[in-house]
Amino acid sequence: MSWDAYVDDHLMCAFPTGNTLTSAAIIGLDGSVWAASSKFPEIKTDEVTAIVNAFNSDGGELAQRGLFIGGAKYLVVQGEQGVVIRGKKGAGGVTIKKTNLCMVFGIYDEPVTGGECNSVVEKLGDYLVDQGY
């Protein structure tokens, strides 16, 4: 299966409510974009570096400074140190799941909930970890 198919078939799939994520991507820990939906923001190298550094530390600096994706600022609201970062921006937000080699991003807006986004992103991330990615 191609990386695009993981984004299209697993991240951008419709929830039982019929809604979908706004955008999604799989990005290597080196900053290379493996696959992204058409509306995923153009993430900058320094933004990826800050996210990777947050996963490799206690995440305090990212929480203080804010999480940036494509220039948009998200408030870091919760997560699991070294594994998941969750951010909020207005009525939407982002979930980022780290695997051994990449990060799975899901960005959502209402009516999608944070819980729905967390579920789909983290399930795919767990699957990739199980597959050695």
Side-chain angles (χ1 to χ4, degrees), residues 62-128:
L62 191 66
Q64 290 176 355
R65 212 175 43 84
L67 166 65
F68 288 86
I69 301 172
K73 183 177 182 179
Y74 293 81
L75 173 66
V76 177
V77 291
Q78 59 177 232
E80 188 177 333
Q81 187 173 345
V83 180
V84 176
I85 296 172
R86 297 183 187 105
K88 191 83 172 135
K89 179 179 174 239
V94 63
T95 302
I96 308 166
K97 168 77 177 186
K98 180 184 174 284
T99 73
N100 300 320
L101 302 174
C102 65
M103 297 173 288
V104 180
F105 287 72
I107 297 176
Y108 68 95
D109 286 306
E110 281 188 334
V112 173
T113 67
E116 289 173 316
C117 182
N118 296 344
S119 177
V120 72
V121 169
E122 292 176 38
K123 281 181 186 175
L124 179 58
D126 290 341
Y127 171 78
L128 293 176

Side-chain angles (χ1 to χ4, degrees), residues 27-72:
I27 299 175
L29 296 178
D30 63 357
S32 61
V33 178
W34 293 8
S37 63
S38 61
K39 293 183 180 177
F40 192 79
E42 190 172 327
I43 193 162
K44 299 173 180 114
T45 304
D46 61 326
E47 294 171 340
V48 172
T49 300
I51 295 167
V52 170
N53 289 343
F55 276 122
N56 293 331
S57 68
D58 66 3
E61 183 178 325
L62 191 66
Q64 290 176 355
R65 212 175 43 84
L67 166 65
F68 288 86
I69 301 172

